[in-house]
Amino acid sequence: MDRWTWAGGASLLAFASVAHVHAQVLAGPPPSEDSTATGAPGEIVVTAQKRAQKLQDVPLSIVALNTEALATRNVRTFNDYAKFLPSVSYSSYGPGQAEVYFRGLSNGNRLSTGSLPTVGVYLDEQPVTTIGTTLDVHIYDIARVEALAGPQGTLFGASSEAGTLRIITNKPDTKAFSGSVDLTANKVAHGMPGGIAESYLNIPLSSHAALRVVGFYQYDGGYIDNVRAPKGVTYPTSGAVRDNRKLVGKDQNSVEAYGGRAALKVDLDDNWTATAGVMGQRQTSNGNFAFKPSVGDLKTTRFFPEAQKDEWYQASLAIEGKLGSFDLTYAGAYFERKAAYTSDYSDYAYLYDSYYASTPDYFGNNFKDNAGRLINPAQIVSQDERFTKQSHELRIASPATDRLRIVAGLFYQRQTNNWRNLYTVPNLADAQSVTGLPGVNYANIQFRTDRDYAAFAEAAFDIVPTLTLTGGLRAYKYDNNVIGFFGFNGTRSAVGEALCFPGTVGAYGTQRPCDNINTKATGSGVRHKLNLSWKAAPGKLLYATWSTGFRPGGINRRPTAPPYAVETLTNYEVGWKTSWLGGKVLFNGALFLEKLNQAQFAVTSDQNGITDIVNAGRARSKGIEADLTVMPMRGLSFQASGTLVDAEITTDLCKYTNAAFDCTIPSASGNPNELRAPAGTRFAGSPRFKLSAMTRYEFSLGKLDAFMQAAAFHQSSVSSSLDVAEARLIGHQPTYTTVDLSAGVSRETWSASLTVENVGDKRAQQSRSVTCSISICGPGSIVVYPLRPRFVSLRLGRRF
């Protein structure tokens, strides 16, 4: 059965079982993992330490949004919940294309052979972290989103170096039947209308088994216009006219998504439970999510059709039981994600055609068809990825009531990425194309495999009832390799087919011309955590943590470039979890200092300008993060969270790196070096200050229950590049403040709500980049990926 058949079936089953609608996502039964927690009603229970604990009892910096919090905040996507997480920042290039950072450490990259992210993303028990494109799970019937700031290297391992994001689904419940259905109509300012249909059902099959199914469909209207480019502009070599008149149109960046989830829980006996689940999502979008300020507000000029498709599914199995008084858990999952993108590369093609006019056979001009005639050199980029991951974890935990509590386990994962990135010139001659790939001027075709092995243990010991010492270790080993091809046709450049390994030419048919990449990187190490927590008084928890995280080493695509080594992060943190006035005021926070060593950066090599990943020095991040909740009277609440962070490199970053971090030393080929960023330069992509605040008032309105809510978000300016000269030319993302308003009513099982997001229609920037080298193409190449314009939605629904 096609995996999208069951996804559609889950949606139909959920929708067909009800005939009414319901506005807000109302919390169903709590997830099974929380069923043993002792939290009072309204308290959030988390599993950040691999066992259920009340949030206020966990001695680490964590923000959790439970089912109710996600619903009241109108959360549906990654962007929706990220703005409520104080330590989380991101750069977004469209749906499912966000790079996530914690505490300002934003040294990511989007290369297929590049570094793994610094932030681990988990879907239930499985890491689903992918390079440069964070999984954008539709948020509906979700138990919690947890954001764990700081290294989580002992319990969560690789790619949880700076922090961990966890999305935890609601599990089947054998106690009672429940469900809800929600319908939403919406409209984006300057764009088209859209809508969402969602439903879930929890179906007890017996006293020992239950099924939970979820389905959704979503359509978001576009708001970016593709306008006519200036007339009369031609390519120097061929004289072809740059004309996009056939692609002109309004509101082109629409998004369509649908998916489903089904989970079956079976109590095998009084001590053992098995839960099997499958979930998936398909998302397609059109156009581009950036506009060119030089062209106009929410307007751009593109010369080729652009589209994105992102689909994924996960199959999982969890078995939980008891061995004597110990809890034993096995969690295994298989995840597959396929993504396909087409994007316009004609701005760069115009640069190449103009800049290299004096060397007509070099990089981007003098293109001919098979008849020998000069052709339009405009290029389009197509990218296809197939990412797979299987993971297995077996862990054991001693009773939570023991004075000495232990969690220990084994972990294994294998992930692959089959990556195909082609730069195509329509009608390009076969003699100029990469062999076996007609029309392709340049190709990246690589297969990457990453294997990770780990053994971990964490023990907590109550020195006295109010003082606990916790220590953890994780021994890890990684084994990564990349095989494939990159470059041009062998007659056009020394990069590409000219580097083919003997015996590989023609071995792969039309898949790739040969192999000129075949590299491997292995490594191992041990990471640690030490934490001391003190319950100074009831509702007053203080803690201090010394912890470490890591990012595995890896391989560069350039055959002569050495592998890059493990990057490590050391974290020093003191924090507090406090409750005041009988629980009416909660105030949590942390002060931290993080030191990054052997930092992995993307730099330009001295051979043909190819980007390499290198260990290029050190960095540090220091700051404070805090959240406050005040409930002064029945029905009225106020919540605020924020972070102030100073994240910067502490060694000079050179164009060509060397062990001394001395930018006066020439490259290995004798090319003159230059300083890209002096020590003290702030990381790009992350703000220095971020704040969110929300107030909500619930009251009676005749026979109805009603609410009014306001939320505000503030973010300071963000640098567009770590390279100070480039950042100066591209410009910073400006400081912004946005406001959301909502109001609603409900009665018994019915509810309705109206929400206005980005009330002031601010053009807040999620990222800022260029379509062409800024130093040559100038400010006309700058593009801005904006926060969605003012967005009005009306939601109706029913719980049953």
Side-chain angles (χ1 to χ4, degrees), residues 39 114 134 155 183 275 304 321 401 441 456 480 534 537 544 704 719 722 737:
T134 301
L155 291 181
L183 296 179
T275 304
F304 282 105
T401 55
N441 174 48
F456 61 89
N480 307 335
W534 176 40
L704 302 176
S719 175
L722 187 61
T737 302

Side-chain angles (χ1 to χ4, degrees), residues 501-564:
F501 297 146
T504 67
V505 177
Y508 303 100
T510 58
Q511 183 184 16
R512 61 181 185 265
C514 67
D515 288 338
N516 58 15
I517 307 170
N518 192 347
T519 55
K520 184 175 184 178
T522 60
S524 60
V526 177
R527 297 289 93 194
H528 74 266
K529 171 186 174 182
L530 191 64
N531 174 278
L532 183 66
S533 61
W534 176 40
K535 295 179 180 178
K540 311 293 187 294
L541 175 68
L542 306 176
Y543 69 88
T545 300
W546 172 36
S547 59
T548 54
F550 71 98
R551 182 158 58 156
I555 324 106
N556 283 296
R557 57 179 170 168
R558 190 166 57 89
T560 57
Y564 48 94

Side-chain angles (χ1 to χ4, degrees), residues 446-475:
Q446 288 132 35
F447 186 78
R448 172 173 176 166
T449 304
D450 294 73
R451 299 175 181 86
D452 295 279
Y453 312 81
F456 61 89
E458 188 167 288
F461 178 71
D462 296 333
I463 302 171
V464 295
T466 58
L467 189 65
T468 301
L469 180 66
T470 302
L473 292 173
R474 188 182 188 96

Side-chain angles (χ1 to χ4, degrees), residues 482-503:
V482 175
I483 185 170
F485 172 85
F486 79 103
F488 299 93
N489 177 289
T491 64
R492 297 191 54 241
S493 172
V495 176
E497 295 181 43
L499 301 174
C500 286
F501 297 146

Side-chain angles (χ1 to χ4, degrees), residues 92 94 167 258 327 337 349 399 473 510 529 630 653 669 720 790:
S92 179
I167 300 171
Y258 62 89
D327 295 322
R337 183 182 187 185
L473 292 173
T510 58
K529 171 186 174 182
V630 181
L653 181 64
S669 301
S720 57
R790 183 189 303 113

